[in-house]
């Protein structure tokens, strides 16, 4: 009854920008923490940035000053504005969210998006 739908990935030159979006769709009654992870070939999946429903933000040191995470609780959407992109940012970016689905008092469960490819050329 719920899914995370990602968009905004693509190919960009170094120094360019992309804006990723992730919408929690379906019978979603509450969205708590939302986050972006990424995984490059040969690397483990890592947290890029997270934002709680109270607005507390946590970011990887590698993206501080370049990326900005934000959310719109009414739209049930999380964004990742990526500026000054570097080739090492190339990865599949995954949306993550903890959701209450089906009822307002449902147990929170973790959901993952399918991932969107971000490729930064030199």
């Amino acid at each position: 009854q719920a899914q995370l739908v990602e968009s905004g990935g693509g190919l960009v030159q170094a120094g360019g920008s992309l804006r990723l979006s992730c919408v929690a769709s379906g019978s979603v009654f509450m969205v708590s923490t939302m986050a972006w992870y990424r995984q490059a070939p040969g690397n483990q999946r890592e947290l890029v940035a997270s934002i709680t429903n109270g607005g507390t933000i946590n970011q990887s040191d590698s993206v501080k000053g370049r990326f900005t995470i934000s959310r719109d609780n009414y739209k049930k959407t999380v964004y990742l504005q990526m500026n000054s992109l570097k080739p090492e940012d190339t990865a599949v970016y995954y949306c993550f969210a903890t959701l209450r689905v089906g009822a307002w008092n449902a147990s929170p469960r973790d959901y993952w998006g399918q991932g969107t490819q971000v490729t930064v050329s030199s």
Side-chain angles (χ1 to χ4, degrees), residues 11-26:
L11 174 64
V12 66
Q13 292 185 334
S17 299
L18 287 172
R19 181 178 173 86
L20 305 183
S21 299
C22 173
V23 180
S25 63

Side-chain angles (χ1 to χ4, degrees), residues 2 4 7 10 16 21 23 27 31-32 36 48 50 67-68 72-73 77 80 86 88-89 96 110-111 115:
L4 301 178
S7 62
S21 299
V23 180
S27 185
V31 183
S32 56
W36 290 97
V48 177
S50 65
F67 292 8
T68 302
D72 185 323
N73 290 328
T77 301
L80 186 68
K86 304 175 181 179
E88 52 262 43
D89 295 319
F96 168 88
D110 295 339
Y111 289 79

Side-chain angles (χ1 to χ4, degrees), residues 32-91:
S32 56
T33 298
M34 305 189 81
W36 290 97
Y37 289 75
R38 68 185 181 186
Q39 186 168 19
N43 296 112
Q44 60 187 356
R45 187 171 299 185
E46 64 174 350
L47 176 68
V48 177
S50 65
I51 182 168
T52 69
N53 54 355
T56 300
I57 295 173
N58 185 42
Q59 291 182 301
S60 168
D61 290 339
S62 64
V63 305
K64 287 182 179 178
R66 300 188 298 119
F67 292 8
T68 302
I69 189 170
S70 61
R71 64 188 288 166
D72 185 323
N73 290 328
Y74 182 77
K75 295 181 178 180
K76 302 174 184 176
T77 301
V78 63
Y79 305 94
L80 186 68
Q81 179 66 48
M82 304 185 293
N83 299 323
S84 302
L85 283 162
K86 304 175 181 179
E88 52 262 43
D89 295 319
T90 296

Side-chain angles (χ1 to χ4, degrees), residues 99-109:
L99 311 175
R100 296 182 187 269
V101 178
W104 70 269
N105 60 345
S107 298
R109 296 182 179 182

